[in-house]
Amino acid sequence: MSKVEIFRRLHRRRAADDPLVLPGPWDAASARVFAEAGYPALATPSAGVAASLGHEDGQTPADEMFAAVTRITRAVDVPVSADVEDGYGLAPKELVERLLEAGAVGCNLEDSNGGVLKDPHQHAEWLAEVRYAAGGELFVNARIDTFLHGDGDPEQAIERAALYTAAGADCVYPITAPADVLPLLRSGIHGPVNVFAKVGTGPSPAELGELGATRVTFGPGLQRRAAAILHELVQEMG
């Protein structure tokens, strides 16, 4: 069975209190830690990778991001999905080729650029082109930024989700959606739902699963926590 099929199966028939938890490695070393801990798959965070490369979030050159993803996928045997922001302006065919060359089995694709929401119909058309270029070789997670850059209207998020799933997205990701609206989103969205969790605070992954999450990711939270721990260690050394 291919890694992408393994990854797809991990999203299916999940118990309500057992969502797929995908830690976010920012380099090869962190990826090995998560894989050795027993996680069946990983999902890179663009902000965490950016920080490891010395860039601000959203400022990583495409070549550097794909190179970082390649190092991560080579370091572990488990499937790895890659956050490639809004696709770096690449044509769908080239974007898919570069993801596959990097060893990724899936990708996050945002529906905003520079903090501005994209037209959902145009974005859906673009996602459909990505889906066509990828065939069954990539698991496409369509990020919905209405809670991050919009007015936070759950109905708008549901409408975008419908467009994106119709375009071929395998999963949708209403990032930073408040926990209390997750049941509404779950009732209106057909297919897997990715939910953002905060590290060490807020609802646990199991609780998010009971609210409607199919899978849970942490964005750059783990990288930032690791950096904070390192800072504490440096202070102790002094």
Side-chain angles (χ1 to χ4, degrees):
M1 186 186 303
S2 69
K3 283 186 178 181
V4 67
E5 183 54 30
I6 292 171
F7 193 63
R8 287 184 191 283
R9 291 194 176 194
L10 287 171
H11 291 77
R12 298 172 185 160
R13 295 184 291 277
R14 309 277 329 173
D17 62 349
D18 183 33
L20 174 61
V21 178
L22 299 175
W26 54 94
D27 59 13
S30 60
R32 288 195 182 105
V33 169
F34 297 140
E36 290 169 3
Y39 288 97
L42 309 175
T44 69
S46 61
V49 173
S52 75
L53 297 174
H55 297 293
E56 294 297 321
D57 184 20
Q59 300 301 311
T60 307
D63 287 350
E64 291 190 41
M65 183 62 76
F66 286 112
V69 172
T70 300
R71 290 191 291 272
I72 289 169
T73 63
R74 287 176 178 172
V76 295
D77 291 327
V78 299
V80 177
S81 181
D83 183 343
V84 288
E85 303 179 81
D86 71 337
Y88 306 113
L90 299 173
K93 185 174 184 294
E94 182 179 0
L95 175 62
V96 168
E97 288 173 350
R98 298 198 67 173
L99 282 163
L100 294 177
E101 287 171 358
V105 301
C107 59
N108 272 19
L109 295 170
E110 305 169 3
D111 67 351
S112 68
N113 179 269
V116 178
L117 288 171
K118 296 181 179 180
D119 176 271
H121 296 277
Q122 293 179 0
H123 187 63
E125 291 176 3
W126 182 76
L127 286 174
E129 293 180 28
V130 172
R131 171 83 284 152
Y132 179 78
E137 297 303 308
L138 286 175
F139 187 98
V140 177
N141 187 34
R143 203 177 90 174
I144 299 171
D145 288 358
T146 54
F147 295 97
L148 187 64
H149 299 307
D151 61 8
D153 179 6
E155 292 301 331
Q156 185 182 148
I158 291 171
E159 290 170 4
R160 285 177 176 255
L163 289 170
Y164 303 162
T165 55
D170 299 286
C171 182
V172 295
Y173 180 16
I175 189 171
T176 68
D180 60 0
V181 305
L182 292 179
L184 174 60
L185 294 177
R186 175 70 280 172
S187 67
I189 294 174
H190 301 288
V193 177
N194 188 151
V195 172
F196 172 78
K198 295 182 179 179
V199 179
T201 185
S204 68
E207 290 168 335
L208 291 173
E210 291 174 344
L211 291 170
T214 308
R215 78 184 210 181
V216 174
T217 54
F218 304 90
L222 291 163
Q223 181 271 326
R224 290 173 180 171
R225 175 63 69 86
I229 293 171
L230 184 59
H231 180 76
E232 292 175 3
L233 291 174
V234 169
Q235 296 301 312
E236 292 175 9
M237 289 166 57

